[in-house]
Amino acid sequence: MNSLYRSLEPTAALNDGEHVVTSFYADKRIYIRDHIWLAVLGIILGMGVLWLMGNPHFWTGAVGAVFAVAVRGFYLASDDLKARWDLTNQRAMGPQERIADLTEIREVKTLGSAAQIITRSGLKHLIRFQADPKDIVRQIEEARVKAALQTSNGTET
């Protein structure tokens, strides 16, 4: 088994002239909030489907949804809350070898409590459970501009 499979932080070596500008960590409060919203959505959908099917015990949809989301949240918390993304002057680097060169990023946007990076080749990366995903988008966009200027000038920092 590849030892990088379970790595929850960037494992790639830094390039010459590359340095970490900032790191992004998941926020436990946001993780819990997102799971509560997921449970609420599951309750509505689960009960709604059972009610539409004519099940007299439609309330069991709520029990099932809460149980499913709680198990998922508990099981994945140890990984989701330890994940780290590093923004360098050249790349955005995440867990399990997720890497996006700043000059290859096509778009950065928010998606709920996550910042989504979309590369020119179509790869998509999520920096999940962030308290301020708009600020992460801003920081990545600023780093992209600086990287583009350095590339056009032929200089590195």
Side-chain angles (χ1 to χ4, degrees), residues 2-143:
N2 186 348
S3 64
L4 296 177
Y5 174 73
R6 298 293 298 161
S7 177
L8 300 171
E9 54 191 37
T11 56
L14 295 177
N15 296 329
D16 289 337
E18 183 177 25
H19 61 275
V20 175
V21 175
T22 191
S23 295
F24 307 115
Y25 298 88
D27 184 313
K28 185 176 184 178
R29 183 179 53 83
I30 300 303
Y31 183 81
I32 292 168
R33 184 201 68 191
D34 285 1
H35 279 77
I36 290 170
W37 278 112
L38 187 59
V40 168
L41 180 63
I43 289 168
I44 293 167
L45 290 174
M47 288 178 66
V49 167
L50 291 174
W51 180 74
L52 288 172
M53 292 173 50
N55 188 324
H57 306 289
F58 64 90
W59 59 269
T60 59
V63 175
V66 169
F67 182 74
V69 172
V71 167
R72 182 219 181 271
F74 179 76
Y75 182 73
L76 295 178
S78 61
D79 287 354
D80 285 344
L81 293 174
K82 290 180 186 171
R84 184 185 91 211
W85 278 82
D86 290 341
L87 177 62
T88 74
N89 59 321
Q90 297 175 12
R91 303 180 284 180
M93 303 188 311
Q96 300 176 5
E97 295 287 313
R98 291 182 181 104
I99 298 172
D101 289 343
L102 295 176
T103 57
E104 292 301 313
I105 294 174
R106 185 182 75 211
E107 183 180 3
V108 185
K109 61 183 179 180
T110 61
L111 190 62
S113 65
Q116 183 182 42
I117 298 170
I118 304 171
T119 66
R120 295 184 198 287
S121 66
L123 290 175
K124 296 178 182 176
H125 306 287
L126 285 176
I127 304 173
R128 298 170 38 182
F129 307 114
Q130 300 298 307
D132 190 358
K134 289 179 183 176
D135 185 55
I136 292 172
V137 169
R138 181 193 56 77
Q139 289 181 61
I140 294 172
E141 291 292 356
E142 286 177 1

